[in-house]
Each structure stands twice: as C-alpha cells, then as structure tokens.
C-alpha cells in the first residue's frame, strides 16, 4: 500500500515539475507580455513603446525582435565601437569592459565612464558607483540598459510609469529610490547633451591637465582630428564642447533608418552651415494602403498630400531638414546640398497622416 502511494505521488508530481519547467522556459523571453501570439517574436505591431525604443532593440534591423534580441541577458555582439555621439554606449562585452578599465584594476568607476550616465546607472546593480565585470556583462539580469529615458517616456509626461517600463519589476523598484512607482530623469541618471559632454571631458582627461590628448581619446583618430579645430594635437574644453558642430564623414558614411510613422527622425549627425551633405536613400514605404506606395522620390502615382510639410511635392517623399530650418525635398534616391544652418540632421516622410503608414527608408549620409 505504501509503495502504491509513493508511485502515485511521483506520478502526480511529475506533471507539476514539467509544468513549472515549461513556465520557466516561457519566461526566458524578454518583452514576453508583448508577445501576444506566443511565437517568441515581437513585431512592430506588438511593440508597446516608442519607435526609437524599438530600434534600440532591433539589433539586426530586420523589423522584428527575435533570437538573441529577446533572450534575457543577451547583449549585442561584434559591434564596432561607434564614434562619439552624445555618449551612447552599446559595447557590453568583455572587449568593451577591457577598453573602459583603463587602469586595469578589474572594475569601471564613474570617473572612467565617458558616456551617457543612464547606461552606467542601469548596469550598477548594487548602486555603489562601480561596475564589476559581472555587472558590466550582466548576463542574467534584465535591466534593459540600452534604452533611454527619452525613448521610454512614450507619453512625454516627464516620468516613466510601470506600463512604459521594459525591464523587470525588480529593476524598476531598485531605481525607484523614493518608492513613488514612477521613475524620474534623476533616478535614471538622465542628463542633457551638454552635461553628458562635460562629464565625458572630465573623465577622458586622465591626467587632469585641462586638455585631451589622443592617447586619452576613446574613439577614432578621424573623430579626434575633426574636433581639433586649431590642429594642435589636443582638445580643449571649448573644442570638445562644440562637438554638436562636428559631423561624421568618410567613404562609408553613416546609415540612418527613417520610419514612415515618425514625423522627424533624428539622424544623430550634426553639421555646420555650408557643409556639403551627400545622401543615398533606398526603400519603399506605404501610406494609406499597400497600393499607395512611395520611394524616396515620392508617391509612385505622383499624388500630393495637402497637409504634408511640403504640400506641393509628391506625397511620401524623403525630406531632410537641419535643426529648425525648413524641410528640403531631395527629389531622387541620391543627391547633395549645402547645409542651410548648423545643427542636427533630421529626416521625415512628406505625408499628412502618419499612423497608417508602414515601412521605412534607409539613408546613407556623408559629409564633405
């Protein structure tokens, strides 16, 4: 009788264990609550958040989140170290840790971090102001460290509530220092571009002599030389502070994705007035439906959109503007023009109703 009871208990327990294992496997996907059909792929339609946030997580740019992109603790791999651009950092690898740990003491402190502070705050799991190698790699922690306050604050109300949060609730509670169930910019370590740049200068100036030599510089020689306005081989504080006026140049250029659903997409590229901008664009977008398509030159039927930014130009065309200047219609898949002002380059689609659009243009920008 006792033997029969043990066998029965085992039979009862096995399904429970199997069920628990099944639940655990299902929970291993990031953004699981968005995966409405359970296929372990997050489409743009399923995504709950801003387009910019989606692009942060779409590492291979294929328009869906899948594979390592939804694996808990996964990091981008084989990423080239980007040139300085308001301190964004994505190289959460052993290579990235070694590059930042300049004194090779096995940790990265805040004074060694020349990037936007949000990434550091998110990775610093015990809030001690130091990143250990384990914290830096973060292979078992769901902290969503690449997303930024500005991208997560989908309703632009100056705070992040739980329904806008993409990482774990435990991480939300850790960052919510005053326990009011919302995250402020200060709690996420978010700073404006000027403050980020000041922090970066201080942390790059390893010998604290008030200038940055190339052996203290983290990025490429070309990006250093572009900021060295007087050619003296060092960057002064003022030269570094004027980084917004420095653009990215080169044969390859910089690629920018321009979703048809956003009014203006920030390219992250800054130019000086009069600088030559070369554009190569590709892709097709749709507007009111699959048959209403456009190339970068505009609607394939030639139609106009009366309330678009440029109503006298074809609907759906690729538009470019610099800072707050008027939009420019390129009119083809490639071309060049002089920057009408100094500032950041933005791209948009010449349409008057964006929510029903789909697709994106891909633009390669070169500065001369």
């Amino acid at each position: 009788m006792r033997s029969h009871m043990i066998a029965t208990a085992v039979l009862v327990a096995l399904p429970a264990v199997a069920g628990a294992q099944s639940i655990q496997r299902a929970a291993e996907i990031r953004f699981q609550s968005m995966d409405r059909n359970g296929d372990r792929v997050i489409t743009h339609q399923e995504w709950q958040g801003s387009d910019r946030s989606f692009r942060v997580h779409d590492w291979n740019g294929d328009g869906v989140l899948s594979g390592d992109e939804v694996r808990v603790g996964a990091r981008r791999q084989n990423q080239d170290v980007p040139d300085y651009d308001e301190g964004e950092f994505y190289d959460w690898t052993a290579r990235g840790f070694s590059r930042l740990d300049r004194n090779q003491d096995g940790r990265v402190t805040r004074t060694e971090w020349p990037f936007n502070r949000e990434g550091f705050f998110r990775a610093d799991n015990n809030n001690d102001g130091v990143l250990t190698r384990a914290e830096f790699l973060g292979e078992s922690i769901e902290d969503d460290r690449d997303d930024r306050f500005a991208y997560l604050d989908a309703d632009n109300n100056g705070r992040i509530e739980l329904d806008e949060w993409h990482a774990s609730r435990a991480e939300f509670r850790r960052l919510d220092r005053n326990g009011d169930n919302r995250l402020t910019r200060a709690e996420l370590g978010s700073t404006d571009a000027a403050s980020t740049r000041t922090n970066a200068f201080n942390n790059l100036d390893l010998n604290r002599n008030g200038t940055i030599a190339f052996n203290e510089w983290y990025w490429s020689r070309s990006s250093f030389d572009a900021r060295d306005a007087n050619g003296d081989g060092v960057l002064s504080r003022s030269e570094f502070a004027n980084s917004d006026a420095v653009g990215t140049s080169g044969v390859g250029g910089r690629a920018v994705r321009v979703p048809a659903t956003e009014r203006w997409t920030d390219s992250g590229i800054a130019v000086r007035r009069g600088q030559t901008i070369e554009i190569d664009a590709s892709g097709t977008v749709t507007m009111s439906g699959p048959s209403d398509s456009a190339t970068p030159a505009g609607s394939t039927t030639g139609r106009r959109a009366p309330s678009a930014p440029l109503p006298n130009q074809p609907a759906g065309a690729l538009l470019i503007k610099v800072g707050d200047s008027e939009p420019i219609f390129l009119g083809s898949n490639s071309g060049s023009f002089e920057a009408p002002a100094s500032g950041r380059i933005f791209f948009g689609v010449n349409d008057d109703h964006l929510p029903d659009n789909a697709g994106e243009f891909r633009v390669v920008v070169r500065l001369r």
Side-chain angles (χ1 to χ4, degrees), residues 85-152:
D85 178 20
E86 293 193 1
E88 296 295 348
F89 181 79
Y90 298 118
D91 192 18
W92 300 100
T93 64
R95 176 192 66 175
F97 183 83
S98 180
R99 282 175 57 84
L100 285 168
D101 181 18
R102 295 198 176 189
N103 62 4
Q104 298 298 299
D105 65 350
R107 61 183 195 161
V108 175
T109 65
R110 287 182 183 173
T111 57
E112 291 176 300
W113 182 262
F115 297 95
N116 186 306
R117 291 183 178 180
E118 285 193 53
F120 191 100
F121 268 60
R122 302 280 277 276
D124 183 15
N125 196 249
N126 62 0
N127 303 314
D128 66 350
V130 172
L131 299 184
T132 64
R133 183 184 174 89
E135 286 177 319
F136 187 91
L137 298 177
E139 294 173 344
S140 61
I141 298 173
E142 184 51 44
D143 54 25
D144 197 24
R145 62 184 64 174
D146 289 340
D147 229 336
R148 295 286 170 263
F149 184 96
Y151 311 160
L152 290 167

Side-chain angles (χ1 to χ4, degrees), residues 329-352:
F329 167 63
L330 188 63
S332 67
N333 284 42
S334 63
S336 64
F337 59 95
E338 287 190 359
S342 295
R344 299 276 277 236
I345 299 174
F346 293 82
F347 293 101
V349 173
N350 193 39
D351 193 20
D352 51 9

Side-chain angles (χ1 to χ4, degrees), residues 84 86-87 116 191-200 240-241 244 344:
Y84 184 80
E86 293 193 1
N116 186 306
T191 56
D192 59 25
S195 298
T196 295
R197 196 168 295 117
T198 297
N199 176 68
F240 191 74
D244 266 347
R344 299 276 277 236

Side-chain angles (χ1 to χ4, degrees), residues 248-281:
T248 301
S249 61
V251 175
R254 181 184 296 183
V256 181
R257 296 168 58 195
V258 184
T261 53
E262 290 190 23
R263 173 55 67 204
W264 295 109
T265 296
D266 185 351
S267 70
I269 304 170
V271 293
R272 299 185 182 93
R273 179 173 180 164
Q275 194 168 9
T276 299
I277 305 171
E278 296 181 353
I279 301 293
D280 286 312

Side-chain angles (χ1 to χ4, degrees), residues 282-300:
S282 61
T284 302
V285 302
T286 60
M287 292 171 282
S288 58
S291 61
D292 186 17
S293 63
T295 68
S299 170
T300 54

Side-chain angles (χ1 to χ4, degrees), residues 142 162-163 165-176 181 183:
E142 184 51 44
L162 264 172
D163 61 355
W165 184 244
H166 295 155
S168 68
R169 292 210 170 198
E171 181 68 5
F172 187 96
R173 289 193 296 271
R174 178 180 75 82
L175 294 165
D176 182 19
N181 291 319
L183 300 178

